Amino acid sequence: MTLKIAVSKGRVYEDFLSLLKSSGYRFKDEKTRKLVIKDLDNSINLIIVKAIDVPLYVNNAFADLGIVGKDIIDEFDDLFYELLNLEIGVCDLCIASMKNSKIKEMDYLKIATKYPKQANEYLKFKKLNGEVIKLNGSVELGPLINISDCILDIVETGNTLKENGLEVNEHFKKIYSKVIANKVSYKTKTDIITEFINKISW
Ligand code: PRP
């Protein structure tokens, strides 16, 4: 039986592939634009998708498992199981604004973000009035061109903030990737999912 795993493109995919290889899974060494990648023993099919679509693939059983960051998981209601934390895609979800802006003194805060659910949770947690402006990328533009007072976004190296004149005001939460599972797959493929989790946990 083959395990279908949705994984987001880019760095998470590269790190996850390294983890699979060091856990004993064998892959052809090739640079490829293929969107379905099988291991040499055909025990795993990796389905390469956009990060935001990983929960959708898992919830709809297009994939048994998904590899996705906590930043994205927390935008969804729990329709899937969270099986394992991975040391992949580690970064911070932060509030950031233009250097020297006085957002701490504002009583109405406009937040630009890819993460509207968590931005609303932030406003509620801080007991602040405000509004959330949903963008799908280049979120740093928010304060830069006066769409918003600040952003809620992931910061990894900090280079994007720095190059655009922004700085971190507050660390909201630590982000890392997780293995999530479709609930039906978890019941019908328990043995191979457990074997997979055990293999990559070492
Ligand atoms: C993410 C994030 C920041 C950047 C942070 O964007 O939204 O813009 O990476 O990384 P850094 O701290 O290492 O500079 P991504 O590259 O995913 O592109 P996007 O703007 O299209 O979402």
Side-chain angles (χ1 to χ4, degrees):
M1 222 189 310
T2 305
L3 211 48
K4 288 180 281 173
I5 307 175
V7 53
S8 56
K9 338 177 164 191
R11 211 176 57 76
V12 167
Y13 169 71
E14 297 298 333
D15 289 355
F16 183 59
L17 191 61
S18 298
L19 173 64
L20 290 177
K21 286 178 179 171
S22 64
S23 308
Y25 291 97
R26 301 180 310 131
F27 290 86
K28 225 190 250 174
D29 264 330
E30 57 170 358
K31 277 245 170 284
T32 175
R33 301 278 297 171
K34 279 185 191 157
L35 297 174
V36 178
I37 297 171
K38 301 174 180 193
D39 72 326
L40 293 175
D41 302 306
N42 207 21
S43 56
I44 283 178
N45 280 1
L46 300 178
I47 304 165
I48 315 301
V49 304
K50 276 198 90 122
I52 191 70
D53 287 339
V54 172
L56 182 147
Y57 277 74
V58 172
N59 287 341
N60 292 295
F62 304 148
D64 303 308
L65 301 179
I67 310 301
V68 64
K70 193 167 161 46
D71 52 330
I72 291 183
I73 290 175
D74 287 353
E75 285 297 302
F76 288 82
D77 296 321
D78 289 347
L79 294 171
F80 41 75
Y81 293 128
E82 295 178 25
L83 298 184
L84 181 70
N85 297 346
L86 299 172
E87 287 289 319
I88 288 177
V90 179
C91 56
D92 286 299
L93 188 64
C94 296
I95 292 285
S97 64
M98 299 307 290
K99 269 193 176 148
N100 304 320
S101 65
K102 303 231 167 15
I103 67 159
K104 288 210 166 111
E105 291 162 23
M106 291 179 182
D107 45 19
Y108 190 92
L109 198 62
K110 283 197 237 171
I111 310 177
T113 188
K114 287 185 269 191
Y115 309 106
K117 184 165 176 261
Q118 291 164 94
N120 278 306
E121 283 163 8
Y122 174 83
L123 288 173
K124 203 169 165 198
F125 173 67
K126 288 282 178 182
K127 298 192 171 67
L128 283 170
N129 291 319
E131 64 192 272
V132 173
I133 297 139
K134 164 83 163 57
L135 298 175
N136 294 314
S138 303
V139 171
E140 292 79 5
L141 278 173
L144 257 180
I145 62 167
N146 273 325
I147 300 170
S148 68
D149 304 307
C150 62
I151 62 173
L152 177 70
D153 200 12
I154 51 168
V155 179
E156 193 185 345
T157 60
N159 289 341
T160 313
L161 291 185
K162 202 169 157 200
E163 289 193 27
N164 290 290
L166 282 82
E167 65 184 2
V168 170
N169 299 96
E170 193 174 343
H171 292 264
F172 186 44
K173 62 173 90 155
K174 189 104 210 143
I175 302 298
Y176 44 86
S177 294
K178 287 189 157 200
V179 182
I180 60 171
N182 173 273
K183 289 187 173 176
V184 174
S185 297
Y186 192 68
K187 282 206 185 96
T188 54
K189 295 187 175 179
T190 314
D191 289 353
I192 58 167
I193 290 177
T194 307
E195 188 193 334
F196 171 78
I197 295 293
N198 286 341
K199 257 174 123 170
I200 66 165
S201 300
W202 287 96

